[in-house]
Amino acid sequence: VLMFWTHGCTLVLEERFDADRCLRLLQEERCTCVHLLPVMIDQLLAHPAFPTARLGALRAGIVLSNEPAILRRAAEKLGVRGASSGYGMTESSPVALGNPVSQARRPGTVGVPFPSTEMRVVDPEDASHDRAVGKAGELLIRGPQVFAGYWQQPEESKAVLLPDGWLR
């Protein structure tokens, strides 16, 4: 879905978040999609130049939160037509599930697995036993975005990566 909004466009990557620079780049590059953490949204909204910022090109916002209030605030204050959420961690580069940036999204949920990504909910004491639908357990992720292991830390890697590629 994001391909529609990003295909043929400039991708702006920054080493670290700076609200002043982010606000300037959103305007100068006429960004159509922005990926933010809730703390970044707070910093942008508190920026003195925010009230007069020209963010009319923004169409979508990917916010790494599943709190409906945060998603609503991002959509309303940033002017995006769709604010969506996802779930992941650094070891899953960093998102493995996401809500569609469309009317199909379900606020308050983390969405569905990304393409070629598998999910399982298992018994935390025995990862070979899947939990029944609706039963609590440990989430396992397997897919092309799952990391190969921690750099020069084989024991730590073994603790989170099962032999068949599942990330705990």
Coordinates of all heavy atoms in Angstrom, one line a residue, residues 111-154:
G111 N -2.4 -5.1 13.5 CA -2.5 -5.4 12.0 C -2.2 -6.8 11.7 O -2.4 -7.7 12.5
V112 N -1.8 -7.0 10.5 CA -1.5 -8.4 9.9 C -0.1 -8.5 9.6 O 0.7 -7.6 9.4 CB -2.4 -8.6 8.7 CG1 -3.9 -8.5 9.1 CG2 -2.1 -7.6 7.6
P113 N 0.4 -9.8 9.5 CA 1.8 -10.0 9.1 C 2.1 -9.4 7.7 O 1.3 -9.4 6.8 CB 1.9 -11.5 9.0 CG 0.8 -12.0 9.9 CD -0.3 -11.0 9.7
F114 N 3.3 -8.9 7.6 CA 3.8 -8.4 6.3 C 4.0 -9.6 5.3 O 4.0 -10.7 5.8 CB 5.1 -7.7 6.5 CG 5.0 -6.3 7.0 CD1 3.8 -5.8 7.5 CD2 6.1 -5.4 7.1 CE1 3.7 -4.5 8.0 CE2 6.0 -4.1 7.5 CZ 4.8 -3.7 8.0
P115 N 4.0 -9.3 4.0 CA 4.2 -10.4 3.1 C 5.4 -11.3 3.4 O 6.4 -10.8 3.9 CB 4.4 -9.7 1.7 CG 3.7 -8.4 1.9 CD 4.0 -8.0 3.4
S116 N 5.3 -12.6 3.2 CA 6.3 -13.6 3.5 C 6.6 -13.7 4.9 O 7.7 -14.2 5.3 CB 7.5 -13.3 2.6 OG 7.2 -13.3 1.3
T117 N 5.8 -13.2 5.8 CA 6.0 -13.3 7.3 C 5.0 -14.2 7.9 O 3.8 -14.1 7.6 CB 5.9 -11.9 7.9 OG1 6.9 -11.0 7.3 CG2 6.2 -11.9 9.4
E118 N 5.5 -15.1 8.8 CA 4.7 -16.0 9.5 C 4.7 -15.7 11.0 O 5.7 -15.2 11.5 CB 5.2 -17.4 9.3 CG 5.3 -17.9 7.9 CD 6.0 -19.2 7.8 OE1 5.4 -20.3 8.0 OE2 7.3 -19.2 7.6
M119 N 3.5 -15.9 11.6 CA 3.4 -15.7 13.0 C 2.8 -17.0 13.7 O 2.0 -17.7 13.1 CB 2.4 -14.6 13.3 CG 2.8 -13.3 12.7 SD 4.0 -12.5 13.7 CE 4.6 -11.3 12.5
R120 N 3.2 -17.2 14.9 CA 2.7 -18.3 15.7 C 2.6 -17.8 17.1 O 3.4 -17.0 17.6 CB 3.6 -19.5 15.7 CG 3.6 -20.2 14.4 CD 4.6 -21.4 14.4 NE 4.5 -22.3 15.5 CZ 5.5 -22.9 16.1 NH1 6.7 -22.7 15.7 NH2 5.3 -23.8 17.1
V121 N 1.6 -18.3 17.9 CA 1.5 -18.0 19.3 C 1.6 -19.4 19.9 O 0.9 -20.3 19.6 CB 0.1 -17.4 19.7 CG1 0.0 -17.3 21.2 CG2 -0.1 -16.1 19.0
V122 N 2.7 -19.5 20.8 CA 3.1 -20.8 21.3 C 3.1 -20.7 22.9 O 3.0 -19.7 23.5 CB 4.5 -21.2 20.8 CG1 4.5 -21.3 19.3 CG2 5.5 -20.2 21.3
D123 N 3.2 -21.9 23.4 CA 3.4 -22.1 24.9 C 4.7 -21.5 25.2 O 5.7 -21.9 24.7 CB 3.3 -23.6 25.2 CG 3.5 -23.8 26.7 OD1 4.1 -23.0 27.4 OD2 3.0 -24.9 27.2
P124 N 4.8 -20.5 26.1 CA 6.1 -19.9 26.5 C 7.1 -20.9 27.0 O 8.3 -20.7 26.9 CB 5.8 -18.8 27.5 CG 4.3 -18.6 27.4 CD 3.7 -19.9 26.8
E125 N 6.6 -22.0 27.6 CA 7.5 -23.0 28.2 C 8.0 -24.0 27.2 O 9.0 -24.7 27.4 CB 6.8 -23.7 29.4 CG 6.4 -22.8 30.5 CD 7.5 -22.0 31.1 OE1 8.6 -22.5 31.3 OE2 7.3 -20.8 31.3
D126 N 7.2 -24.1 26.1 CA 7.5 -25.1 25.0 C 7.1 -24.6 23.7 O 5.9 -24.8 23.3 CB 6.9 -26.5 25.3 CG 7.2 -27.5 24.3 OD1 8.0 -27.3 23.4 OD2 6.7 -28.7 24.5
A127 N 8.0 -24.0 23.0 CA 7.7 -23.3 21.7 C 7.3 -24.3 20.6 O 6.8 -23.9 19.6 CB 8.9 -22.5 21.2
S128 N 7.4 -25.6 20.9 CA 6.9 -26.5 19.8 C 5.4 -26.8 19.9 O 4.8 -27.4 19.0 CB 7.6 -27.9 20.0 OG 7.3 -28.5 21.2
H129 N 4.7 -26.2 20.9 CA 3.3 -26.4 21.1 C 2.6 -25.0 20.8 O 2.7 -24.1 21.6 CB 3.0 -26.8 22.5 CG 3.3 -28.3 22.7 ND1 4.6 -28.6 23.2 CD2 2.7 -29.4 22.5 CE1 4.7 -30.0 23.3 NE2 3.5 -30.5 22.9
D130 N 1.8 -25.0 19.8 CA 1.0 -23.8 19.4 C -0.2 -23.7 20.4 O -0.7 -24.7 20.9 CB 0.4 -23.9 18.0 CG 1.5 -23.8 17.0 OD1 2.6 -23.4 17.3 OD2 1.2 -24.0 15.8
R131 N -0.5 -22.4 20.7 CA -1.7 -22.2 21.6 C -2.9 -22.1 20.7 O -2.9 -21.8 19.5 CB -1.6 -20.8 22.2 CG -0.5 -20.7 23.3 CD -0.9 -21.4 24.5 NE -0.1 -21.0 25.6 CZ -0.1 -21.5 26.8 NH1 -0.9 -22.5 27.1 NH2 0.7 -21.1 27.7
A132 N -4.1 -22.5 21.3 CA -5.3 -22.4 20.5 C -5.7 -20.9 20.3 O -5.2 -20.0 21.0 CB -6.4 -23.1 21.3
V133 N -6.5 -20.7 19.2 CA -6.9 -19.3 18.9 C -7.6 -18.7 20.2 O -8.4 -19.4 20.8 CB -7.9 -19.3 17.7 CG1 -8.5 -17.9 17.5 CG2 -7.2 -19.8 16.5
G134 N -7.2 -17.5 20.5 CA -7.8 -16.8 21.7 C -7.1 -17.1 23.0 O -7.4 -16.4 24.0
K135 N -6.1 -18.0 23.0 CA -5.3 -18.3 24.2 C -4.0 -17.5 24.2 O -3.4 -17.3 23.2 CB -5.0 -19.8 24.3 CG -6.2 -20.7 24.4 CD -6.8 -20.5 25.8 CE -8.0 -21.5 25.9 NZ -8.7 -21.3 27.2
A136 N -3.7 -17.0 25.4 CA -2.4 -16.2 25.5 C -1.2 -17.1 25.4 O -1.3 -18.3 25.6 CB -2.4 -15.5 26.9
G137 N -0.2 -16.5 24.9 CA 1.1 -17.2 24.7 C 2.2 -16.3 24.3 O 2.1 -15.1 24.3
E138 N 3.3 -16.9 23.8 CA 4.4 -16.1 23.3 C 4.3 -16.0 21.7 O 4.0 -17.0 21.0 CB 5.7 -16.9 23.6 CG 6.9 -16.2 23.1 CD 8.2 -16.9 23.5 OE1 8.1 -18.0 24.0 OE2 9.3 -16.3 23.3
L139 N 4.5 -14.8 21.2 CA 4.5 -14.6 19.8 C 5.8 -15.0 19.1 O 6.9 -14.5 19.6 CB 4.2 -13.1 19.5 CG 4.1 -12.8 18.0 CD1 2.9 -13.5 17.3 CD2 4.0 -11.2 17.9
L140 N 5.8 -15.8 18.1 CA 7.0 -16.1 17.3 C 6.8 -15.5 15.9 O 5.7 -15.5 15.4 CB 7.2 -17.6 17.2 CG 7.4 -18.4 18.5 CD1 7.7 -19.9 18.1 CD2 8.5 -17.9 19.4
I141 N 7.9 -15.0 15.4 CA 7.9 -14.4 14.0 C 9.0 -15.1 13.2 O 10.1 -15.3 13.6 CB 8.3 -12.9 14.2 CG1 7.3 -12.2 15.1 CG2 8.3 -12.2 12.8 CD1 7.8 -10.8 15.5
R142 N 8.6 -15.3 11.9 CA 9.6 -15.9 11.0 C 9.3 -15.2 9.6 O 8.2 -15.1 9.2 CB 9.5 -17.4 10.8 CG 10.5 -18.0 9.9 CD 10.6 -19.5 10.0 NE 9.3 -20.1 9.5 CZ 9.1 -21.4 9.6 NH1 10.1 -22.3 10.0 NH2 8.0 -21.9 9.2
G143 N 10.4 -14.7 9.0 CA 10.2 -14.0 7.7 C 11.6 -13.4 7.3 O 12.6 -13.5 8.0
P144 N 11.5 -12.8 6.1 CA 12.8 -12.2 5.5 C 13.3 -11.1 6.3 O 14.5 -10.8 6.2 CB 12.3 -11.8 4.1 CG 10.8 -11.6 4.2 CD 10.4 -12.6 5.2
Q145 N 12.5 -10.4 7.2 CA 13.0 -9.3 7.9 C 13.6 -9.7 9.3 O 14.2 -8.9 10.0 CB 11.9 -8.3 8.2 CG 10.8 -8.7 9.2 CD 9.8 -9.6 8.7 OE1 10.1 -10.6 7.9 NE2 8.5 -9.3 9.0
V146 N 13.5 -11.0 9.7 CA 14.1 -11.4 10.9 C 15.6 -11.5 10.8 O 16.2 -12.0 9.9 CB 13.5 -12.8 11.3 CG1 14.2 -13.4 12.5 CG2 12.0 -12.7 11.6
F147 N 16.2 -10.9 11.8 CA 17.7 -10.8 11.8 C 18.4 -12.2 11.9 O 17.7 -13.2 12.3 CB 18.2 -9.9 13.0 CG 18.3 -10.5 14.3 CD1 19.3 -10.1 15.2 CD2 17.4 -11.5 14.8 CE1 19.4 -10.7 16.5 CE2 17.5 -12.0 16.1 CZ 18.5 -11.6 16.9
A148 N 19.6 -12.3 11.6 CA 20.4 -13.6 11.6 C 21.0 -13.8 13.0 O 21.5 -14.9 13.2 CB 21.5 -13.5 10.5
G149 N 21.0 -12.9 13.9 CA 21.6 -13.1 15.2 C 22.3 -11.8 15.6 O 22.6 -10.9 14.8
Y150 N 22.6 -11.8 16.9 CA 23.4 -10.7 17.5 C 24.8 -10.8 17.1 O 25.4 -11.9 17.1 CB 23.2 -10.6 19.0 CG 21.8 -10.4 19.5 CD1 21.1 -11.5 20.1 CD2 21.2 -9.2 19.3 CE1 19.8 -11.3 20.6 CE2 19.9 -9.1 19.7 CZ 19.2 -10.1 20.3 OH 17.9 -9.9 20.8
W151 N 25.5 -9.7 16.7 CA 26.8 -9.6 16.3 C 27.8 -10.2 17.4 O 27.8 -9.7 18.5 CB 27.2 -8.2 16.0 CG 28.7 -8.0 15.6 CD1 29.6 -7.4 16.4 CD2 29.3 -8.4 14.4 NE1 30.8 -7.4 15.7 CE2 30.7 -8.0 14.5 CE3 28.9 -9.1 13.3 CZ2 31.6 -8.3 13.5 CZ3 29.8 -9.3 12.3 CH2 31.1 -8.9 12.4
Q152 N 28.4 -11.3 17.0 CA 29.4 -11.9 17.9 C 28.9 -12.3 19.3 O 29.6 -12.3 20.3 CB 30.7 -11.1 18.0 CG 31.4 -10.9 16.7 CD 32.7 -10.1 16.8 OE1 33.0 -9.4 17.8 NE2 33.5 -10.1 15.8
Q153 N 27.6 -12.7 19.3 CA 26.9 -13.1 20.6 C 26.1 -14.3 20.3 O 24.9 -14.3 20.3 CB 26.1 -12.0 21.1 CG 26.9 -10.7 21.5 CD 25.9 -9.6 22.0 OE1 24.8 -9.8 22.2 NE2 26.6 -8.5 22.3
P154 N 26.8 -15.5 20.1 CA 26.1 -16.7 19.7 C 25.1 -17.2 20.8 O 24.0 -17.7 20.5 CB 27.2 -17.7 19.4 CG 28.4 -17.2 20.1 CD 28.2 -15.7 20.1

